[in-house]
Amino acid sequence: MNNRHQNKNHIKQKKLLSAFYDYVGEYHLDNICADIDSRKIEIDNIDIPQSLDDWFDRYINNVKKKEKQRKFIKKAKSISSKTAAILLVLFVSITTLTLSVEAFRTQVYNLLSTEHNEYSRVRIRHESTENVTIEWENYYFPTYMPEGFYVASIREVEEIKEINFINENNEYIVFSQAPNETDFNLDTEDGIKTELVINNRKAVLTEKEERNILFWNNEEFSFYLVSRLEAEKLQIIAESLEKK
Amino acid sequence: MFIFGIVIDDDFTRHKIEEMYRMYRKLLFYTAYCILKDYHEAEDVVHTAIIKICDHIDKIEDIKCNKTKAFLVIIVRNIAINVYNKKRRLSEIHMEKLMNLNDDYIHPEEYMLKIENAEWVARKLALINPEYADVLVLRYTYQLSIEEIAYLLNTSEGNVRVKLHRARKALHEIMKGEYYEQQTPE
């Protein structure tokens, strides 16, 4: 209790002293100003070196430059944050558009498939819907194709190359090729199998659900054709292969 | 004159610095030159003072008032004294006799009883050592922190504390007994 009282007194006295120092200080300032006034003529007549003014001009220009830089950085920061927001909106919009429009969906599918390749070993290099140019090397291509069919798309999955032909009636022919000993997974279960000869080699024709699947091979590659076209036409196509 | 934490537009600040320089450049140079008696050194001191004052320009409200004028003189004067002392290899604190001042307690109320003589006390303190009076003013009248005073006067915080302590002791000595009684003006 006594200590608290002493502390309180000490604080009061400190305040009192501070007020006194301040009061004395005010007089000290008055004295300084009076002293300056008494020397006014001397002060006014003193020669200032030109270099002092030059230094000040440089100094103030530097201040201006720094001020400009600071303003520029501030503006740049503000613009960059706005740009980031705009980019985010654009990204979201494009993503929405991409996932909702058919034309884009194919492209995104390809992209995802390619990325997925890292894990599944499925590689899709190219897929398109028209004006397809085949840029593969060392592949077979049929020199005969029924009238009206054209290459609609191609795809490459590991070593399997697949060319899809269609016509205006949406009839299709799928032609696939891969080095011998490559595993093909073809759904021929419960189909009617017939043996044929393609270029002096045994071939297997499977008819299932109105589709014909023709499978054969040569010295280096295995092939198959899948279509609803007649088996005879598929056989002619098979025999017309030419290496590119 | 002093305001704290105020946000001033940049152009306004720059104009204030320019106005301050144009108005007081002769006074600042004169103050430094009177102590150093050397044009180049006086010029260097003014450079240092301007840079330091500009860093605290937000605390100066009115350029034309006496308080600003005195403030600028205090800054330049103390920086010049430091330069002068260093040049002459003198200790910045050379009123050693004040260190041995009698620490007899004077009740603060007694200070107030003699307050009518504050002008004379201030003059007396400045006579003992103007630096003491200056540092006292910066601390108690301008309400600057020890750190701010040290920066403005281009010295260490320790040095400011010592000067402040000695200023209070000197004031104490002035206010105390015989010396005061004998020299108090009529």
Side-chain angles (χ1 to χ4, degrees):
Chain A
M1 189 71 182
N2 231 355
N3 269 348
R4 194 187 286 177
H5 184 70
Q6 273 181 347
N7 275 345
K8 222 172 174 182
N9 264 349
H10 182 70
I11 292 166
K12 275 182 189 172
Q13 285 172 5
K14 220 174 166 184
K15 278 185 182 171
L16 205 60
L17 278 176
S18 294
F20 182 74
Y21 296 148
D22 174 26
Y23 194 68
V24 171
E26 291 285 355
Y27 277 107
H28 179 57
L29 294 181
D30 289 346
N31 292 341
I32 289 174
C33 290
D35 189 42
I36 293 167
D37 289 344
S38 70
R39 296 164 188 244
K40 195 177 180 310
I41 298 168
E42 277 178 74
I43 294 167
D44 287 344
N45 289 336
I46 195 161
D47 287 328
I48 297 281
Q50 182 57 41
S51 53
L52 183 62
D53 286 343
D54 293 343
W55 171 85
F56 182 77
D57 289 340
R58 280 198 306 275
Y59 173 75
I60 212 74
N61 281 335
N62 274 338
V63 171
K64 280 180 197 172
K65 267 186 199 169
K66 280 182 186 170
E67 207 177 291
K68 273 185 188 172
Q69 278 174 356
R70 204 178 51 77
K71 278 181 184 172
F72 176 77
I73 291 167
K74 201 176 166 185
K75 209 172 182 178
K77 274 184 184 171
S78 150
I79 289 171
S80 64
S81 61
K82 280 176 190 165
T83 310
I86 290 167
L87 283 176
L88 183 69
V89 170
L90 268 177
F91 176 76
V92 171
S93 310
I94 288 171
T95 307
T96 312
L97 185 70
T98 302
L99 294 174
S100 60
V101 177
E102 186 69 30
F104 282 101
R105 198 175 291 159
T106 309
Q107 295 300 323
V108 169
Y109 172 73
N110 288 338
L111 176 70
L112 294 176
S113 299
T114 307
E115 285 186 354
H116 195 55
N117 177 42
E118 294 291 321
Y119 308 99
S120 67
R121 305 192 64 198
V122 171
R123 183 170 65 241
I124 300 172
R125 285 191 181 160
H126 182 71
E127 184 172 10
S128 180
T129 50
E130 54 183 20
N131 299 326
V132 177
T133 349
I134 302 172
E135 289 176 351
W136 297 332
E137 281 177 10
N138 193 28
Y139 71 99
Y140 286 87
F141 191 81
T143 51
Y144 166 77
M145 192 51 60
E147 201 176 341
F149 281 87
Y150 60 91
V151 177
S153 65
I154 58 168
R155 63 169 64 199
E156 190 180 5
V157 181
E158 293 222 287
E159 290 181 287
I160 302 172
K161 294 183 173 76
E162 189 180 281
I163 305 169
N164 297 303
F165 300 86
I166 56 166
N167 66 8
E168 285 177 357
N169 302 322
N170 268 340
E171 293 175 302
Y172 67 90
I173 302 168
V174 177
F175 171 55
S176 187
Q177 56 190 294
N180 285 332
E181 293 186 17
T182 303
D183 288 329
F184 286 103
N185 295 315
L186 293 170
D187 180 19
T188 57
E189 197 182 354
D190 300 325
I192 304 163
K193 292 187 176 66
T194 319
E195 281 194 8
L196 296 171
V197 175
I198 307 283
N199 293 334
N200 299 323
R201 281 183 173 263
K202 198 173 91 174
V204 177
L205 177 72
T206 307
E207 290 176 69
K208 188 187 173 187
E209 294 168 358
E210 297 179 359
R211 283 191 313 164
N212 287 318
I213 303 166
L214 179 62
F215 187 86
W216 80 105
N217 71 310
N218 65 11
E219 309 76 40
E220 50 176 351
F221 277 87
S222 302
F223 311 95
Y224 72 79
L225 282 164
V226 181
S227 179
R228 289 181 189 274
L229 294 179
E230 306 88 319
E232 291 75 15
K233 280 193 178 171
L234 294 186
Q235 199 173 347
I236 299 168
I237 294 169
E239 284 174 338
S240 75
L241 291 190
E242 197 174 280
K243 198 168 184 183
K244 300 276 180 184
Chain B
M1 185 196 75
F2 284 91
I3 47 167
F4 289 85
I6 194 164
V7 179
I8 299 169
D9 176 59
D10 291 321
D11 285 338
F12 177 74
T13 306
R14 207 178 59 245
H15 288 139
K16 202 156 85 168
I17 294 169
E18 284 178 300
E19 189 188 357
M20 180 193 74
Y21 176 77
R22 303 291 168 211
M23 189 172 284
Y24 297 118
R25 62 200 233 284
K26 283 196 170 189
L27 172 64
L28 298 182
F29 186 78
Y30 173 84
T31 306
Y33 182 76
C34 280
I35 294 161
L36 295 163
K37 308 288 182 206
D38 182 289
Y39 266 75
H40 295 295
E41 284 181 344
E43 197 179 329
D44 285 344
V45 165
V46 175
H47 293 172
T48 310
I50 295 278
I51 291 167
K52 286 177 180 292
I53 292 162
C54 287
D55 285 343
H56 285 73
I57 197 75
D58 57 319
K59 291 175 183 173
I60 296 176
E61 196 180 0
D62 182 7
I63 294 291
K64 288 175 186 169
C65 76
N66 274 349
K67 215 169 176 179
T68 300
K69 186 161 68 177
F71 175 72
L72 299 177
V73 167
I74 287 171
I75 304 300
V76 169
R77 177 161 76 187
N78 281 271
I79 295 174
I81 289 170
N82 282 348
V83 171
Y84 179 81
N85 285 343
K86 276 177 191 162
K87 195 170 71 172
R88 293 186 61 191
R89 295 184 181 180
L90 289 176
S91 158
E92 287 183 36
I93 310 293
H94 47 81
M95 297 288 284
E96 291 306 318
K97 60 177 183 177
L98 284 168
M99 282 302 283
N100 303 316
L101 286 174
N102 191 342
D103 227 5
D104 292 345
Y105 181 73
I106 301 179
H107 206 271
E109 279 82 350
E110 290 178 45
Y111 278 61
M112 303 316 278
L113 288 174
K114 297 168 182 174
I115 204 160
E116 73 274 13
N117 292 325
E119 185 187 354
W120 178 83
V121 172
R123 205 173 281 282
K124 193 73 208 164
L125 183 63
L127 272 177
I128 292 172
N129 188 336
E131 290 173 79
Y132 294 168
D134 289 348
V135 88
L136 201 78
V137 163
L138 293 175
R139 182 78 184 98
Y140 293 101
T141 309
Y142 293 110
Q143 302 275 304
L144 297 177
S145 68
I146 301 284
E147 191 187 356
E148 286 171 324
I149 297 169
Y151 176 77
L152 284 166
L153 303 187
N154 208 22
T155 187
S156 67
E157 286 179 38
N159 205 3
V160 173
R161 281 200 183 86
V162 170
K163 277 184 186 172
L164 206 55
H165 173 75
R166 291 178 182 178
R168 283 191 294 252
K169 285 243 180 188
L171 204 60
H172 180 86
E173 188 74 3
I174 293 164
M175 297 299 291
K176 205 176 66 174
E178 300 163 18
Y179 188 68
Y180 178 85
E181 297 300 336
Q182 285 168 10
Q183 305 201 28
T184 305
E186 291 301 312

